[in-house]
Amino acid sequence: MLKRTFRYRLYPSAAQRAILNDHLGICCELYNAALQERRDAWRTARISIGFRQQAAQLSSIKAERPDVAAVYSQVLQDTLYRVDKVFAAFFARVRRGERAGFPRFRSAHRFDSLTYPQFRFSVNGQHLRVSKIGLIKIKLHRPVSGTIKTLTIKREAGKWFACFSVEIEPTHLPASTES
């Protein structure tokens, strides 16, 4: 199986843009808090915190903060998974003896994507239905082929895009007729 990404332009309404920007801000805050928690736990008690411990805390965080509860839970989990991947890459560079570069905090303008790793989204004609956001206009300029695995909603230069990660069967090119 091959992985491929299809990217389409989104046209969210003003209210949907506000929701998307709020979700990006909350995920950025969660990313930075998870990074800080890992740093503090290591500095104070020499304890290594992993993805599972931080993901287990999400339900209590959502109970205390309704703004965090407004974000789809798997988007929050994917944010914590990003922190886990950053630390895994850091430790891999340390093991290889490369210049490691400790994981950094993200500013609000450098956190520009939300990833929906499972099935809380669907394409209905010229609209994309996303959990906790609603129907967003999408410009499907070509069909999505393959099995959709994830959806990433990205903000680039004030515009919004939907990136579908799909798995497709590899196809072979026809034999060349040139000699």
Side-chain angles (χ1 to χ4, degrees):
M1 293 300 248
L2 292 175
K3 289 190 176 185
R4 192 169 185 188
T5 302
F6 291 91
R7 180 177 153 161
Y8 302 96
R9 178 79 190 274
L10 291 176
Y11 296 94
S13 66
Q16 290 170 335
R17 278 194 303 275
I19 292 170
L20 288 168
N21 284 321
D22 287 345
H23 287 193
L24 285 174
I26 290 165
C27 288
C28 179
E29 182 183 346
L30 179 66
Y31 180 93
N32 290 334
L35 182 62
Q36 185 67 43
E37 181 183 26
R38 286 182 181 215
R39 291 175 70 178
D40 290 346
W42 182 255
R43 284 184 182 156
T44 59
R46 296 285 191 225
I47 296 172
S48 179
I49 296 177
F51 169 76
R52 291 192 188 271
Q53 291 99 347
Q54 289 184 320
Q57 298 172 6
L58 278 178
S59 59
S60 62
I61 294 170
K62 288 170 68 173
E64 292 177 17
R65 294 193 43 194
D67 58 337
V68 176
V71 181
Y72 181 54
S73 62
Q74 290 195 347
V75 172
L76 298 172
Q77 290 172 10
D78 184 72
T79 302
L80 294 177
Y81 184 64
R82 285 186 195 184
V83 175
D84 200 51
K85 286 193 306 187
V86 166
F87 272 95
F90 166 71
F91 289 121
R93 288 190 301 272
V94 168
R95 277 192 300 276
R96 289 192 305 262
E98 299 174 4
R99 184 168 175 237
F102 195 77
R104 295 188 229 169
F105 294 103
R106 294 281 183 105
S107 66
H109 71 277
R110 290 203 57 212
F111 200 93
D112 290 329
S113 66
L114 303 169
T115 301
Y116 289 79
Q118 289 188 352
F119 310 105
R120 297 305 283 181
F121 58 89
S122 62
V123 178
N124 303 328
Q126 295 298 313
H127 291 91
L128 173 67
R129 179 180 299 278
V130 181
S131 178
K132 305 237 179 171
I133 296 172
L135 289 173
I136 303 173
K137 283 179 148 182
I138 186 170
K139 176 66 175 169
L140 290 170
H141 57 278
R142 61 181 169 175
V144 179
S145 60
T147 306
I148 298 174
K149 294 297 182 179
T150 63
L151 164 68
T152 301
I153 297 178
K154 295 181 80 171
R155 176 182 62 192
E156 288 182 14
K159 297 177 182 172
W160 293 90
F161 297 92
C163 302
F164 295 100
S165 177
V166 301
E167 282 186 349
I168 59 172
E169 289 289 331
T171 58
H172 298 286
L173 295 174
S176 175
T177 58
E178 295 180 11
S179 53

